[in-house]
Structures are given as structure tokens and as C-alpha cells.
Amino acid sequence: LRAQKEEVLKVTISIDDDEMIERLTRMFLRSTASAEVATIIRSAVRDAYRRLIKPSIETETLNAAKAKADDGAIAIFADNVRQVLMASPLIGKRVLAVDPGFKNGCKIAALDAQGNVLCTDQIFPNAPVNAFKVCSIVDRFEIDAIALGNGTASRETENFLNQLRYPRQVRIFVVNESGASIYSTSEVGVREFPDLKDLDRGAISLGRRLIDPMAELVKIEPKHIGVGQYQHDVDQTKLREALDFTVGSCVNSVGVNVNTASRELLSYVSGIGPALAANIVSYRAENGDFTSRRELLNVSRMGEKAFQQCAGFLRIPGAINILDNTGVHPERYELVEAIASDRGTTVDALVKDHKALQSLDLTPYVTKEVGLPTLTDIVLELEKPGRDPRATDEEPVEFDNAIHDIRDLHAGMEVQGVVNNITAFGCFVDLGIHENGLIHISQLSDRFVSSPLEVVQMNQKVRVKVLDVDYMRGRIALTMKEVSQLPGS
């Protein structure tokens, strides 16, 4: 359909017209009809078929094929978005964000562990004085990691950053900057940083994506995250519904720190819409951090029904009641307290005693309202209060230092990259240069692969072999066949 729109080809539905006309004629022409009547009926059937019925069949057939293609593309798109949102956050680390550029230099922003802005500035990697500026910022704000955008001049800027002698240990991560420019000019970005320029907001967004990908990426439409394929060609209503559901399910599965979450992140929590999310943020600004989940009932428009829906997904680190920092719903607090009391201890002590939790006999607490699966889930939450299910310590991908441009690639060489998009026909790999390489589905494995998701996932580090390079068109064909993969990939 895209090719037809570009007038590269024409799509038609092939039908045996004579057979269809004959079938329709048999449906309406009686054997007792006179020759004159038969002639009129045959003529009417032929005219109706060619003028009305055939175009209708073609339209319905194309629509059915289009709907099937849409569903497939949307499903892969949604899965990609889920994997991006569930990427590991860099917990408790201070970050220096660098938005690379040639002509206007690089915009930089230092952020604390919660994503608050410490300073913004600009550097030109080719100017020696900027080495001192970067190292000074790293030292002054105790920076732990650098988030470098993967746009224009990314590799050149990465080389500059790698050559510096930092006053403390710093890791460099390359971050996908898709959608950062959209955020920088959006209503959300302007509301958050009204006194900063667009480029400063873009750099801040890059740093926050490293600190907490989910919290930052929910601020832009999922279709602008830079994953998926054909997002502008599929049914937009279906796409919006699927992506909104995916984002909501990711947010609810991780949980949200109600004292740091933006209104955009809060609005995806079950039972909380944009209006109530704004009220929560306003209440927090006026009254300080929440100290308990029950305090949420003081927020305007937070009724009991909304509270029942959202409370289990909201976390309050450092709350008076330790259960407020778990996925245990407030309506089950009395049950947990009863379990602790039966063991002659407190809830706080029970949560800290992993052996006691693992040896609990839950059978006596099974009722018509609370089954064994629910009790098991409660115990699992007690075992990991405040723990982020996404949290893993990932090492940044190391691109080949000898490859800076597509012309540095040639057939037969093996390189390292990271999967940054998955489609029905294969996956794209970031090799650290402007152009992405494509691994066709037939090149993902020596065995038959029905879906790329069987072999790869978003942000997975892979080793690939170059099959072919089209320098003029900027296309790179890759394979994973007979290539030894990295440990754990």
C-alpha cells in the first residue's frame, strides 16, 4: 500500500469475473424464465457485478488484509515500546547529559540522582579548554555517568569524552535521542523548564532517560520513541489504544514513587487521569512529600473508589508504614499485621526477616475473599519492599573504535552493536554510526525463525557480521549466523 501511494506499483484483487457472473446468474435466473427475461437478468447481473459488487469485494478484501497487517505491526510496536520502557534505570547515580553537535557545539546538563537540574552549559569538543570544563563539572557535582545522545557528531563527541582524564570514575552511555526534540518544544517541556532554551531541555531529557527511562519517555507520545515500523500507516486509533495500554501496564507493574513522579507518569497509574495527576502534584508542591498512602485522600477529587484503584501502584519510600512502599494494597494491611502478630513480631521486623517470610504457612489465612495466590503475592511483595523490578547493573555497549563512518565497514567484518528496533521482517542494529544495520529475519539464526522476538529484544547487545554495504543508499546488511554472541546476550 505504501508503494502504491508512491506510485511504484498498483495493488489489485484478482477475481475470475466470468465465474462470479455465472454464479450470480444461477442465483437469480429461474429455469422457467423466458429467453427475453433471461437476457434481461443476465445483463442486470453483469452490470451489477462490474459496477457495484466487484469494487465492493476488492475494497473489503484490501481492508481485511490492511487490518491484519495493522494488527501485526501494532503488536510488534507495542512490544518494542514495552521493552524500551522497562529498560534498566541508573538508580542513585548523578548524570552529565551531553547532546552532541558540530556547528553549535554540545549542550550539556548535570543532573542529580532524581533528575533535578544542577547546571546547564555548552562545550565544543574541538576546543581544548572544554576538557577542563567537563572534568570540572564531573568533580563539582560528583557525576557518576555520562549520557551521550546518539545523533549527529555522537561518535566524535564520544571519542573526546573517552580521552578525558576524569577526577572520579565515570561510565559513558549512548542514549537514543528519538523524541527529545519533540519534548524540548512540547507543552510538558516548557512547563517543566520555562526559563531554559529548547536545546537545554533536550539535553536534560537525554540524562533523565538514563536515570529512569520510563519516567521520562511517558512525557512524549509512544510513537515518537523511535521504535516500530509503519506507525504513520496503521490505524491510528488502534495504535493509540495499544500503546496507551502498554505504557499503563508497564507503569503499574513497576509502581510509581508518588513523591517524585511527574503528572504525566502519574496519569498512567490505574484510577488516576490527567486531572487527578495534576492535583496530586499541586498538593505535593503545597504540602510537601506524602508520608502515607492515606494522605492521598486529602487530594482534591481523590475519592475512595479512585484510591482503591491506584493505592497499590503508588510507592512512598521512607513512609511511616513500611507497607506504603510495597505493592500490598491498604485493604490488606490488617491481614499482614495479623500474620505478624501471630508470629509474635511487628510488620517491620517480619519484612526484614526473609527466612520467616519464606517459611510462612499461609493456609490458615485463606478465606473466601483472599485466596492462596493473593497471599503468595503479598509475601513476595514483603520480600522486596521498594525494589525496582527493572533494576540491573548494565554495562554500556562498546562500539568499535575503528568505525566512525559507513565507509569504514566492509563485507565479512564482525562488529558489535545494540538492537534499537524490531520489525516483522527483522531487526535494526545501532553500530555507533549514523546508519543502522538490518538483520533480516532469515539471518537471525541458523534455525527457522517465525518472529524476530524469538531471538532478539530491544537494547540487546549483539555481535554481527557485515554481509553487504550499499554506500550510496546508506544501507547495511548484517547477519548473526555463525557469529559467537556476547555472554548473557
Side-chain angles (χ1 to χ4, degrees), residues 151-453:
T152 303
S154 177
R155 287 307 299 276
E156 291 78 4
T157 306
E158 184 180 13
N159 290 337
F160 163 75
L161 294 172
N162 279 326
Q163 292 170 6
L164 300 184
R165 306 182 76 175
Y166 300 101
R168 54 188 285 115
Q169 186 174 357
V170 174
R171 292 192 295 173
I172 300 174
F173 294 82
V174 177
V175 179
N176 188 342
E177 60 182 38
S178 296
S181 60
I182 293 176
Y183 162 79
S184 67
T185 58
S186 68
E187 180 184 345
V188 176
V190 173
R191 185 176 66 242
E192 284 194 296
F193 305 105
D195 300 326
L196 295 180
K197 296 180 180 179
D198 295 348
L199 293 176
D200 290 321
R201 299 190 195 105
I204 293 167
S205 180
L206 293 179
R208 287 181 166 183
R209 290 182 187 199
L210 182 60
I211 294 171
D212 191 337
M214 179 184 296
E216 188 62 22
L217 291 174
V218 295
K219 297 175 184 176
I220 61 175
E221 283 191 73
K223 66 181 181 180
H224 296 312
I225 291 177
V227 298
Q229 194 83 355
Y230 317 120
Q231 58 263 44
H232 302 296
D233 300 303
V234 301
D235 185 305
Q236 294 300 296
T237 301
K238 280 186 178 180
L239 177 64
R240 190 180 309 108
E241 291 175 351
L243 295 185
D244 283 348
F245 175 81
T246 299
V247 176
S249 65
C250 289
V251 171
N252 290 320
S253 66
V254 171
V256 171
N257 182 343
V258 71
N259 285 327
T260 60
S262 65
R263 67 172 70 179
E264 289 74 31
L265 184 60
L266 285 168
S267 67
Y268 279 104
V269 175
S270 179
I272 299 178
L276 185 51
N279 290 346
I280 292 173
V281 173
S282 297
Y283 180 92
R284 189 175 69 200
E286 294 173 5
N287 301 278
D289 288 352
F290 291 90
T291 57
S292 73
R293 280 173 170 164
R294 299 302 302 183
E295 190 181 348
L296 285 162
L297 290 169
N298 297 333
V299 175
S300 175
R301 299 181 64 177
M302 176 67 81
E304 283 288 348
K305 186 174 182 181
F307 180 76
Q308 287 179 356
Q309 287 181 292
C310 72
F313 303 114
L314 301 176
R315 307 285 188 269
I316 304 179
I320 298 172
N321 188 338
I322 195 173
L323 297 180
D324 284 344
N325 195 31
T326 70
V328 178
H329 196 280
E331 65 185 13
R332 302 299 178 208
Y333 283 10
E334 289 186 8
L335 174 60
V336 177
E337 290 166 0
I339 294 174
S341 178
D342 291 346
R343 294 187 65 88
T345 187
T346 63
V347 172
D348 284 51
L350 179 63
V351 169
K352 296 173 183 177
D353 191 344
H354 291 283
K355 289 185 178 180
L357 288 172
Q358 293 173 358
S359 63
L360 278 177
D361 180 12
L362 301 175
T363 307
Y365 304 101
V366 175
T367 64
K368 291 182 179 180
E369 293 78 22
V370 184
L372 189 59
T374 300
L375 289 166
T376 303
D377 288 341
I378 289 174
V379 172
L380 289 174
E381 285 296 325
L382 296 178
E383 290 179 349
K384 54 178 181 61
R387 186 184 303 169
D388 193 322
R390 302 168 296 165
T392 57
D393 188 18
E394 290 190 356
E395 288 295 324
V397 63
E398 294 181 2
F399 296 114
D400 193 325
N401 291 328
I403 300 174
H404 303 279
D405 183 82
I406 188 172
R407 296 194 175 278
D408 294 327
L409 296 174
H410 57 80
M413 67 188 304
E414 288 192 12
V415 293
Q416 183 170 312
V418 58
V419 176
N420 64 357
N421 200 0
I422 300 175
T423 69
F425 55 81
C427 71
F428 290 91
V429 178
D430 181 3
L431 302 175
I433 58 177
H434 180 70
E435 298 82 4
N436 292 323
L438 171 65
I439 308 178
H440 189 266
I441 189 171
S442 62
Q443 296 296 326
L444 284 170
S445 175
D446 293 321
R447 61 179 176 82
F448 173 76
V449 176
S450 58
S451 168
L453 295 171

Side-chain angles (χ1 to χ4, degrees), residues 472-487:
M472 296 298 294
R473 300 170 70 189
R475 296 187 176 182
I476 307 165
L478 306 171
T479 182
M480 285 175 59
K481 289 184 175 180
E482 300 179 358
V483 180
S484 299
Q485 293 304 306
L486 303 166

Side-chain angles (χ1 to χ4, degrees), residues 35-198:
E36 185 177 1
V37 170
T39 300
I40 294 173
I41 291 177
R42 288 182 182 277
S43 177
V45 167
R46 187 178 296 105
D47 175 70
Y49 171 74
R50 290 177 175 171
R51 188 165 52 85
L52 302 171
I53 299 174
K54 182 178 180 180
S56 179
I57 292 174
E58 290 176 336
T59 300
E60 289 183 15
T61 303
L62 277 174
N63 286 343
K66 173 68 162 53
K68 183 178 180 181
D70 281 3
D71 290 343
I74 289 172
I76 292 178
F77 202 152
D79 196 85
N80 286 350
V81 169
R82 180 183 300 279
Q83 292 183 44
V84 170
L85 292 179
M86 296 298 284
S88 304
L90 203 63
I91 298 173
K93 305 295 184 182
R94 292 189 166 207
V95 171
L96 176 64
V98 181
D99 187 359
F102 280 123
K103 184 177 179 181
N104 297 318
C106 305
K107 297 299 293 186
I108 62 176
L111 310 174
D112 67 15
Q114 286 72 46
N116 299 312
V117 181
L118 301 172
C119 80
T120 61
D121 210 325
Q122 186 176 18
I123 62 169
F124 292 84
N126 293 328
V129 68
N130 288 282
F132 174 77
K133 181 183 288 188
V134 172
C135 291
S136 176
I137 290 175
V138 168
D139 185 39
R140 178 156 55 110
F141 297 110
E142 299 180 341
I143 298 298
D144 301 298
I146 295 177
L148 173 64
N150 66 342
T152 303
S154 177
R155 287 307 299 276
E156 291 78 4
T157 306
E158 184 180 13
N159 290 337
F160 163 75
L161 294 172
N162 279 326
Q163 292 170 6
L164 300 184
R165 306 182 76 175
Y166 300 101
R168 54 188 285 115
Q169 186 174 357
V170 174
R171 292 192 295 173
I172 300 174
F173 294 82
V174 177
V175 179
N176 188 342
E177 60 182 38
S178 296
S181 60
I182 293 176
Y183 162 79
S184 67
T185 58
S186 68
E187 180 184 345
V188 176
V190 173
R191 185 176 66 242
E192 284 194 296
F193 305 105
D195 300 326
L196 295 180
K197 296 180 180 179
D198 295 348

